[in-house]
Amino acid sequence: MASLLRGLNGGYISPGQGNDPIRNPDAVPTGRNFYGFSADKVPSKEAFALGKKLADTMIDEYREKNGSLSR
């Protein structure tokens, strides 16, 4: 209610996570400006690069052992 009144008075409402509060309890309390995704849930460039390297290594090892990706 406080955010509603602040917004109606032209005040600033800090953003927060949106979505269904059952799937994302951090979405509560409602009444905030929301953003579609949380930047802290997106992997960093380093984490993405490491994940890609690990996946490529796994695929290469599978190919070496089995000759191809198909069964």
Side-chain angles (χ1 to χ4, degrees):
M1 186 59 81
S3 292
L4 174 63
L5 293 174
R6 191 169 26 260
L8 290 173
N9 286 321
Y12 176 77
I13 301 171
S14 61
Q17 295 183 27
N19 210 336
D20 179 2
I22 300 297
R23 290 190 293 161
N24 182 8
D26 292 332
V28 178
T30 59
R32 297 179 290 188
N33 292 328
F34 66 92
Y35 46 85
F37 68 94
S38 176
D40 61 332
K41 294 184 180 182
V42 178
S44 66
K45 288 182 180 183
E46 294 82 11
F48 182 86
L50 178 59
K52 181 181 183 317
K53 179 181 176 184
L54 292 172
D56 290 342
T57 300
M58 181 180 68
I59 291 169
D60 291 342
E61 289 175 0
Y62 185 90
R63 280 188 181 142
E64 286 176 18
K65 181 178 177 183
N66 298 294
S68 71
L69 290 178
S70 60
R71 293 181 181 214

